[in-house]
C-alpha cells in the first residue's frame, strides 16, 4: 500500500436519525473535508448509541461507532489518523470519543485530534461571524434566538459567553439559550422581553436540525420554544437549519483539521 492510502481522517459526529438534515450537514461537512484532503481517506463514526440503534432497527443501516471505525481503519492498513469531531463543544461526548480512540492507539503510528467547533476565543468570533453573515438581513426590531443543546459539563459556560459576545459586538437582538442547561428558556424569556421584538426567529445552534429542532424548538407541544414564545405574545418563525449548513461553520472545521495536521 502506498503512503497516500495510509492516511485517513475520521469524522466523528453525534449523529441524527433525520436523513434530510444529515445530507445537508454531516454529509456536507464530510464532502468538504474530502475535497480539501483528497490524499486522505474519510471515515465516519457516530457517538450516539440511541441513534445508531434506531437507524439499525428502523432503516437497517449500520454506522460505525468510534471503536468500530478504528478497527475498520486498522483492517484497511491506515497508519496515520486525524480525528475531527463535529461536536459543538469540548463536552462529555468529546471526552468519551477521545477515550475510545486512544484505547485503540497501539495499532496506529500517529493519531492527532482536531478541536470541536467552539474551542478557542477565535473560534467563537468566527462562529459569530458565520452566523451574522447568514442572518445579515434580519430587521433590527426582530429577535433571533439560537437553541444550543446544553450539558452538565463545565464546557457549557461557552453558551453564556457566546450570548455575551453577540451583545458585546453590537448584536443586541441575538440571543443564545440551551435545551438542557443554562441559559435556559426562563432566562431567554426575560431577556427577549426586555428587548421588545416585533417577531422572534428560532434556529438550532446544533450541527444538525434533528430531534431537538423538530420537537423542542418547533414542535406543537406546549413546552416547545415556539409555543412558549407564542404564549408570551410573540409572532414566531422557526428556521430548521443546522449549523452544518452554514459554509462559514464548515470552514472552521477545516481550519481545525489543518491545525491538527500541522502538529508535530
Amino acid at each position: 500500500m502506498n503512503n497516500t492510502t495510509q492516511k485517513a481522517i475520521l469524522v466523528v459526529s453525534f449523529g441524527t436519525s433525520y436523513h434530510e438534515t444529515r445530507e445537508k450537514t454531516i454529509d456536507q461537512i464530510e464532502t468538504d473535508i474530502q475535497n480539501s484532503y483528497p490524499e486522505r481517506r474519510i471515515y465516519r463514526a457516530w457517538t450516539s448509541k440511541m441513534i445508531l440503534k434506531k437507524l439499525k432497527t428502523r432503516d437497517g443501516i449500520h454506522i460505525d461507532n468510534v471503536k468500530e471505525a478504528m478497527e475498520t481503519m486498522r483492517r484497511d492498513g491506515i497508519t496515520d489518523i486525524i480525528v475531527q469531531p463535529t461536536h459543538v463543544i469540548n463536552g462529555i461526548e468529546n471526552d468519551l470519543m477521545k477515550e475510545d480512540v486512544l484505547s485503540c492507539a497501539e495499532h496506529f503510528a500517529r493519531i492527532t485530534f482536531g478541536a470541536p467547533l467552539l474551542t478557542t476565543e477565535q473560534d467563537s468570533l468566527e462562529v459569530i461571524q458565520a452566523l451574522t453573515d447568514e442572518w445579515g438581513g434580519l430587521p433590527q426590531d426582530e429577535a433571533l434566538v439560537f437553541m444550543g443543546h446544553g450539558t452538565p459539563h463545565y464546557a457549557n459556560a461557552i453558551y453564556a459567553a457566546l450570548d455575551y459576545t453577540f451583545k458585546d459586538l453590537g448584536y443586541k437582538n441575538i440571543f443564545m439559550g440551551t435545551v438542557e442547561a443554562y441559559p435556559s428558556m426562563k432566562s431567554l424569556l426575560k431577556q427577549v422581553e426586555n428587548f421588545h421584538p416585533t417577531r422572534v426567529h428560532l434556529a438550532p445552534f446544533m450541527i444538525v436540525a434533528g430531534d431537538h429542532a423538530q420537537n423542542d424548538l418547533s414542535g406543537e407541544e406546549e413546552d416547545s420554544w415556539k409555543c412558549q414564545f407564542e404564549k408570551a405574545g410573540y409572532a414566531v418563525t422557526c428556521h430548521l437549519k443546522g449549523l452544518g449548513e452554514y459554509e462559514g461553520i464548515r470552514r472552521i472545521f477545516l481550519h481545525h483539521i489543518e491545525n491538527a495536521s500541522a502538529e508535530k
Side-chain angles (χ1 to χ4, degrees), residues 12 43 51 115 135 140 148 153 178 181 193 201 252:
V12 181
Y43 290 81
I51 288 169
W135 290 90
Q140 288 299 303
H153 193 283
T178 70
E193 187 182 354
H201 296 268
I252 296 168

Side-chain angles (χ1 to χ4, degrees), residues 40 100 128 175 249 253:
R40 286 183 179 262
D100 283 348
I128 286 173
F175 302 85
I249 298 288
F253 286 124

Side-chain angles (χ1 to χ4, degrees), residues 16-28 206-211 213-214 240-245:
T16 179
S17 60
Y18 291 79
H19 297 309
E20 194 182 326
T21 187
R22 187 210 70 233
E23 288 167 5
K24 298 177 190 169
T25 56
I26 296 171
D27 290 6
Q28 194 57 56
M206 304 173 189
I207 296 303
V208 303
D211 210 45
Q214 303 280 346
L240 300 189
K241 180 174 183 173
L243 292 179
E245 293 185 54

Side-chain angles (χ1 to χ4, degrees), residues 2-21:
N2 63 39
N3 279 341
T4 54
T5 56
Q6 291 178 314
K7 293 185 174 184
I9 297 173
L10 174 62
V11 185
V12 181
S13 302
F14 182 78
T16 179
S17 60
Y18 291 79
H19 297 309
E20 194 182 326
T21 187

Side-chain angles (χ1 to χ4, degrees), residues 3-250:
N3 279 341
T4 54
T5 56
Q6 291 178 314
K7 293 185 174 184
I9 297 173
L10 174 62
V11 185
V12 181
S13 302
F14 182 78
T16 179
S17 60
Y18 291 79
H19 297 309
E20 194 182 326
T21 187
R22 187 210 70 233
E23 288 167 5
K24 298 177 190 169
T25 56
I26 296 171
D27 290 6
Q28 194 57 56
I29 291 167
E30 291 172 354
T31 299
D32 285 10
I33 292 171
Q34 183 67 86
N35 291 342
S36 298
Y37 293 90
E39 76 285 2
R40 286 183 179 262
R41 289 178 66 176
I42 307 299
Y43 290 81
R44 165 186 286 182
W46 288 4
T47 57
S48 170
K49 293 185 181 73
M50 199 169 68
I51 288 169
L52 293 176
K53 187 178 177 187
K54 184 172 183 178
L55 287 178
K56 192 71 165 271
T57 53
R58 186 190 71 186
D59 307 324
I61 294 172
H62 173 82
I63 292 173
D64 281 352
N65 62 30
V66 174
K67 285 189 173 179
E68 288 168 341
M70 296 297 287
E71 175 57 24
T72 301
M73 288 187 286
R74 186 189 70 76
R75 280 202 308 268
D76 289 350
I78 301 296
T79 56
D80 178 323
I81 309 168
I82 296 172
V83 181
Q84 179 56 54
T86 68
H87 299 145
V88 174
I89 60 173
N90 284 281
I92 296 163
E93 291 290 322
N94 211 62
D95 290 346
L96 293 173
M97 176 274 290
K98 282 187 166 180
E99 282 178 26
D100 283 348
V101 168
L102 293 174
S103 71
C104 309
E106 64 191 276
H107 303 297
F108 303 92
R110 185 169 186 259
I111 298 174
T112 51
F113 292 94
L117 183 64
L118 288 167
T119 301
T120 65
E121 190 179 342
Q122 184 60 33
D123 289 339
S124 295
L125 295 174
E126 286 179 20
V127 165
I128 286 173
Q129 187 67 58
L131 297 177
T132 52
D133 282 353
E134 197 78 25
W135 290 90
L138 188 72
Q140 288 299 303
D141 61 349
E142 298 185 6
L144 171 58
V145 178
F146 284 109
M147 174 190 269
H149 191 277
T151 172
H153 193 283
Y154 62 83
N156 191 77
I158 192 69
Y159 293 110
L162 268 181
D163 185 81
Y164 184 94
T165 311
F166 273 120
K167 311 295 189 297
D168 199 33
L169 294 172
Y171 301 105
K172 309 291 186 203
N173 60 335
I174 301 183
F175 302 85
M176 177 67 66
T178 70
V179 192
E180 296 184 3
Y182 182 85
S184 65
M185 185 59 177
K186 196 175 170 185
S187 312
L188 281 174
L189 282 168
K190 278 190 285 192
Q191 289 183 44
V192 171
E193 187 182 354
N194 290 336
F195 182 71
H196 304 299
T198 57
R199 175 171 291 277
V200 172
H201 296 268
L202 299 178
F205 188 79
M206 304 173 189
I207 296 303
V208 303
D211 210 45
H212 286 299
Q214 303 280 346
N215 298 310
D216 299 310
L217 185 138
S218 63
E220 296 303 327
E221 298 284 322
E222 62 178 31
D223 61 346
S224 77
W225 285 22
K226 170 179 172 276
C227 290
Q228 288 187 66
F229 274 114
E230 284 177 344
K231 191 179 174 187
Y234 302 103
V236 178
T237 306
C238 298
H239 305 264
L240 300 189
K241 180 174 183 173
L243 292 179
E245 293 185 54
Y246 297 74
E247 194 183 337
I249 298 288
R250 297 198 301 272

